[in-house]
Amino acid sequence: MNFKKQIFGFMDMLRFKKLVPNRRAALEAGSPEPLPRDYRVNQQARRLHPGMMEVELTAVRVLVPGMTELTFKRLDGDAFPFFRAGQYVSLQAPVGDSLVSRPYSIVSSPRQALENVLTLGVADAGFFSGWLNREVKPGDRFRMSEPSGEFHYETLRDKKQIVCIAGGAGITPFISMARSMAEGDESYEMLLFYGARDEAHLAYKAELDALTRKGLRVVYVLSDEEKPGFEHGFVSAALLEKYVDVHNATFFLCGPKAMYDFVGAQLAPYGLPVKAIRRDATCCGDLTLDAPRCFKLTVHIRDKVYTLDAAENETLLTAMERAGVPAPSKCRAGGCGYCHSKWLGGEFRIADGRDGRREADRKFGFVHPCVTYPLSDMEIEVPAAE
Ligand code: FES
């Protein structure tokens, strides 16, 4: 044993003795060319995560009453980054004196992104979406975030059979998911329940019918109209059981809150694990208050200080955007952490069920302005937007 140790010790000594001459020889044999500043891995990382992109609107198409499709290309000519079907981008533009941004699910497929094509479906609901539906035209320019979001299929977590339930404009992420499956980029089997008032309000019906020839199963559910070939009513447990084994599927829901509440109640008796029911996050909007008070909000961004009005019923992010303050945002639902800001003073409340902060954030006084409402004058320090 000791003898072995001595041998190894001796060999180590020899190696150590040759260390410097070996290193010199390696340096002399090396290329005199300087090391590249930009490695392939850096270029790939930039392709996948370009941050904010300058984009131009190339086409506008009315889908159904109150819903428009907008198609974009990147101005620098690069392709859009490949993304996971179901993800969203945040679109930003100045509207009047405000700098506004909103997240929209991507409708086009990840493969189309590589051809510099990215499409969004926008329902005419709210300030920015209404403006997009009525005012924009091809050639208009915007800023767009890179694709983000957790509302997508995950092989290790989700069942192979996915059941997607869309209400109204909530169809948009599922168009991308169906296209991605048809193009062979996703391995799931997709059954889509698409609920609308009547057939005239089913956006993308022709595209969905075409996708049924490539493996998609669609069940149209009309609440106000009875027609052969369509289910009537709402997506109830009985309707689900007619088409799928509820215990052997992962559910993806996208639509209005009323739909989440209804479908959630229908699925509750099955006792499915939390991970089996995925809901797309919706933006945090204004609160309904009888007589909302108005407070002063002081915002620090780097060396600039802004003082503005903030109403009790609107989020700090909305107040900043209304005042033209360049505040960062992506999901507007408290989930992505992109607007993560330091609280410096004042009382506030956070929207129910939207507090996505980590324990450390709560302890050290950070807030997400997209889901935070003022209850007094407030002061916050916001990271600079890109
Ligand atoms: S924008 Fe995503 S957490 Fe605020």
Side-chain angles (χ1 to χ4, degrees), residues 88 317 328-340 368-371:
Y88 68 88
L317 178 60
S329 80
K330 270 191 187 172
C331 72
R332 306 179 77 91
C336 73
Y338 194 64
C339 64
H340 184 256
H368 292 157
C370 65
V371 292

Side-chain angles (χ1 to χ4, degrees), residues 224-266:
D224 296 5
E225 191 177 23
E226 286 191 61
K227 273 186 138 179
F230 297 80
E231 294 285 356
H232 177 63
F234 297 99
V235 183
S236 62
L239 187 64
L240 289 169
E241 286 197 7
K242 187 171 159 187
Y243 291 94
V244 72
D245 173 6
V246 172
H247 289 282
N248 199 21
T250 297
F251 290 82
F252 286 80
L253 275 55
C254 186
K257 183 176 178 304
M259 187 197 90
Y260 288 176
D261 293 345
F262 181 82
V263 176
Q266 298 293 307

Side-chain angles (χ1 to χ4, degrees), residues 41-62:
V41 67
N42 303 111
Q43 293 163 5
Q44 183 65 359
R46 271 202 304 279
R47 265 197 291 275
L48 288 172
H49 302 288
M52 293 299 283
M53 301 172 283
E54 304 291 331
V55 299
E56 183 176 298
L57 187 60
T58 57
V60 178
R61 174 168 75 121
V62 176

Side-chain angles (χ1 to χ4, degrees), residues 1-15:
M1 184 70 176
N2 268 345
F3 174 69
K4 269 191 189 169
K5 266 190 193 165
Q6 280 170 6
I7 291 263
F8 284 125
F10 180 66
M11 284 166 65
D12 276 351
M13 290 284 289
L14 275 183
R15 256 187 240 122

